[in-house]
Amino acid sequence: MSSADPKAVEARCVRLNAKAENAAGIAPRVEPHTLARGPNDLLIEVKAAAVNPSDVKAATGLMAYAIFPRTPGRDYAGVVIDGPAGTMGREVFGSSGDLGIRRDGTHASHLVVESDAVVEKPKTVSWEEAAGIGVPFVTAMEGFRRAGIPKPGETVLVFGANGKVGQAAVQIATWQGARVIGVVRKAEPYEGHTNASIEVIDASATDVATRLREVTDGKGADIVFNTVGDPYFQAAHKSLALRGRQILIAAIDRIVQFNILEFYRGQHTYVGIDTLGLSSIATGAVLRDLGPGFASGHLKPFPIKANAVYPLERAKEAYVAVAGSSRDRVILKP
């Protein structure tokens, strides 16, 4: 197959025909759709696709720019079955800010995506694991790319350390040699992979900023990765070192009290990350920065439980599981 002769394929796609009132009201149907690629696109046979909270939010109308009808899904892993010369048979994975939201996505048997959007799947990683890397690792890495990649000798404080983005941030920061301290909302150990031992602060029992100053000889954190948002905004702010950077990716209540004097006297930087604003190609560039970490084993995909893998026909159950804030990485398998 050459790029001059793209083939079309009849794909089985999960379709959302209209906005739902809530997660329970999401009514996905599996329908056939003919997919054909453009000259610089790849046609991928999807082996596994993850379900993210943003997929469910978009289905319930929380993203005004989400189109209907559409096939949801941002993360994927699969095999290239048609594309420009030299791409056939490649085992790839990827993610996106626009797939599944502004155009048809990954919850399907096949996917069309730009050649530059994909990265090679490491041989040591299963299809389901590769499909689960996407959004959490892209969010964590894009935060560090914008705020400054952690360096040895720097302290990184991660709020929501046991969430998927939190775990990805801990992995990346310890891979880079930084000291990492995690914050959890109740007494529990850190549950993810790490490349160095990390201290965990239980926010329900300890004042986070006070404890952080104690363990950093008063200095504070060079980077605060706040995966939760406003509930931890003040604690994060109080934890920042001189010229510290706070990364924000989420909010429950949108408005926070903000001490401008402390902000400029501390020479702080606040970095906002919205991976929905990244195109498939921009997302691919972020994933390529992570590739060496997965290849070396410093970064590990999230473990996938057998009971968190669903066929396309059970997509509704998968969406409901994610809406119920399941801690498992939920996967659809065509």
Side-chain angles (χ1 to χ4, degrees):
M1 263 301 155
S2 74
S3 55
D5 180 26
K7 68 178 175 192
V9 70
E10 179 93 330
R12 288 168 48 249
C13 305
V14 174
R15 298 294 285 176
L16 299 178
N17 287 316
K19 180 178 96 174
E21 285 300 308
N22 50 39
I26 298 174
R29 294 179 28 195
V30 178
E31 299 173 2
H33 262 254
T34 302
L35 298 184
R37 67 178 185 86
N40 296 313
D41 294 337
L42 303 175
L43 180 59
I44 294 170
E45 181 187 335
V46 177
K47 297 290 189 183
V51 180
N52 289 288
S54 55
D55 299 327
V56 179
K57 287 175 183 167
T60 57
L62 291 179
M63 278 108 195
Y65 44 78
I67 58 158
F68 292 93
R70 67 185 153 84
T71 300
R74 298 172 62 190
D75 295 342
Y76 60 93
V79 180
V80 178
I81 59 169
D82 187 28
T87 59
M88 296 283 289
R90 285 175 64 200
E91 297 190 348
V92 298
F93 74 104
S95 181
S96 176
D98 51 14
L99 280 175
I101 312 280
R102 289 178 283 264
R103 60 179 176 145
D104 285 340
T106 66
H107 296 171
S109 62
H110 296 78
L111 171 70
V112 173
V113 73
E114 301 91 335
S115 298
D116 291 343
V118 304
V119 289
E120 298 297 322
K121 180 181 84 68
K123 292 277 179 265
T124 53
V125 174
S126 73
W127 291 116
E128 294 85 354
E129 288 171 337
I133 289 170
V135 169
F137 273 95
V138 168
T139 305
M141 190 64 182
E142 180 65 4
F144 288 136
R145 278 166 50 120
R146 293 261 319 279
I149 301 292
K151 299 185 188 68
E154 288 194 315
T155 298
V156 178
L157 181 68
V158 180
F159 285 90
N162 273 329
K164 291 297 179 271
V165 177
Q167 289 185 21
V170 170
Q171 290 200 37
I172 294 165
T174 55
W175 170 38
Q176 297 298 324
R179 176 189 184 183
V180 177
I181 297 166
V183 178
V184 292
R185 70 170 185 267
K186 58 180 192 286
E188 62 181 14
Y190 172 65
E191 294 170 357
H193 168 69
T194 177
N195 299 288
S197 62
I198 75 163
E199 180 177 340
V200 176
I201 299 173
D202 170 8
S204 71
T206 311
D207 181 79
V208 175
T210 303
R211 178 64 189 151
L212 184 78
R213 298 280 170 194
E214 285 170 4
V215 299
T216 58
D217 298 323
K219 179 176 175 245
D222 301 285
I223 300 176
V224 173
F225 207 125
N226 183 350
T227 72
V228 183
D230 50 284
Y232 287 135
F233 183 84
Q234 204 54 39
H237 169 71
K238 294 281 188 202
S239 299
L240 284 168
L242 185 69
R243 297 198 178 162
R245 298 93 83 191
Q246 181 180 179
I247 302 164
L248 291 149
I249 66 163
I252 299 165
D253 285 329
R254 299 173 186 197
I255 308 299
V256 293
Q257 288 286 325
F258 178 51
N259 187 320
I260 296 172
L261 179 73
E262 289 177 358
F263 171 71
Y264 71 73
R265 287 259 173 97
Q267 301 174 47
H268 297 158
T269 302
Y270 286 172
V271 176
I273 299 298
D274 179 15
T275 56
L276 287 166
L278 298 178
S279 69
S280 299
I281 292 173
T283 305
V286 181
L287 283 170
R288 269 185 279 284
D289 282 356
L290 293 163
F294 285 104
S296 66
H298 289 96
L299 301 181
K300 294 196 186 302
F302 304 109
I304 307 296
K305 295 181 183 165
N307 63 356
V309 179
Y310 299 81
L312 295 182
E313 288 71 19
R314 290 175 59 204
K316 180 179 171 90
E317 290 172 62
Y319 299 157
V320 169
V322 170
S325 59
S326 162
R327 275 204 171 174
D328 298 331
R329 201 73 175 104
V330 174
I331 302 291
L332 289 177
K333 213 171 162 163

